[in-house]
Amino acid sequence: MNKGRMLNYAIGHEVITHKPIAIGIDDYTQYVPAVSVLALNLCGVKSCHNLKEQTMLLGLSSLLTAISVNGLKYTVREMRPNGSRRNSFPSGHTTVAFMGAELLWQEYKDTSPWIGIGGYVIAASTGALRVYNNKHWIGDVAFGAGLGILCTKLAYKLYEPISRKMHNKQSKRTNTVYPYYNGQQGGLALTIQL
């Protein structure tokens, strides 16, 4: 048995032995870092991107996260520690939380590193609660944390070229709508230049 699996079972055994009362707040805390990115912007806190760009980055990060988490969950089919389903690896809650924490870090690290650190504390707490609630193995959570960070970093790398390409296409295209009347008929003319 490898060390990772031994760690999973050792921690899982402790959770089962002590039978803690489940705390369901992790269903909500997973979203706190990502929502904080947009909320801080709306409150006027200086960030690297404007609200529209942040929303696009969040959307791209979320898309990459959803594809990777679901792809792995339904390929690996790891049994959850509580035996309920075969979709334990990786922890989706933890991946989403760390995706948001990295987004928070990237956007506000120049304003205050404590903003990003706070996001990481919430993300780590989400992961710890997934293990505490016997929903995931520690390996599921650790991998999910790394995957969430990776998805956000990849979104930032992909965003700039996509944004430039969209901006260039928009600047070349012109649409004009104007009224006309020729003495007998009137209407609107539409000109689209691609």
Side-chain angles (χ1 to χ4, degrees):
M1 187 180 293
N2 68 29
K3 291 180 183 182
R5 193 166 292 280
M6 286 174 53
L7 181 62
N8 277 341
Y9 288 125
I11 292 173
H13 175 72
E14 288 299 315
V15 170
I16 291 168
T17 301
H18 297 292
K19 293 187 183 11
I21 297 170
I23 300 171
I25 197 166
D26 51 331
D27 290 335
Y28 306 103
T29 59
Q30 67 176 320
Y31 302 114
V32 170
V35 170
S36 297
V37 172
L38 304 176
L40 287 168
N41 190 308
L42 290 171
C43 291
V45 179
K46 185 180 178 298
S47 60
C48 293
H49 293 90
N50 64 37
L51 187 62
K52 179 182 171 188
E53 293 168 329
Q54 284 179 346
T55 304
M56 291 174 67
L57 283 161
L58 177 59
L60 186 55
S61 296
S62 298
L63 178 66
L64 293 169
T65 297
I67 290 169
S68 57
V69 166
N70 288 310
L72 285 168
K73 276 185 177 292
Y74 298 104
T75 301
V76 175
R77 301 190 45 77
E78 177 75 23
M79 181 62 77
R80 288 182 181 265
N82 63 9
S84 63
R85 294 172 68 191
R86 287 198 161 276
N87 65 347
S88 187
F89 182 85
S91 167
H93 284 65
T94 307
T95 306
V96 168
F98 276 88
M99 174 206 73
E102 180 62 21
L103 194 64
L104 196 58
W105 173 259
Q106 292 296 326
E107 288 298 312
Y108 297 101
K109 64 185 173 192
D110 295 333
T111 302
S112 173
W114 291 105
I115 295 172
I117 291 168
Y120 274 109
V121 168
I122 291 169
S125 299
T126 300
L129 284 169
R130 298 307 286 166
V131 174
Y132 176 84
N133 289 331
N134 204 28
K135 298 282 187 176
H136 286 285
W137 303 104
I138 191 74
D140 304 340
V141 168
F143 189 88
L147 184 60
I149 293 168
L150 179 67
C151 287
T152 299
K153 286 189 177 292
L154 184 58
Y156 271 85
K157 290 286 186 197
L158 293 172
Y159 176 73
E160 294 305 325
I162 291 170
S163 178
R164 274 195 307 273
K165 195 168 202 162
M166 286 174 54
H167 181 70
N168 287 341
K169 281 185 178 179
Q170 288 174 351
S171 63
K172 290 178 185 174
R173 185 175 62 196
T174 58
N175 301 329
T176 310
V177 178
Y178 54 91
Y180 74 89
Y181 181 70
N182 66 7
Q184 294 178 343
Q185 297 175 329
L188 293 175
L190 171 64
T191 304
I192 300 175
Q193 183 180 10
L194 302 174

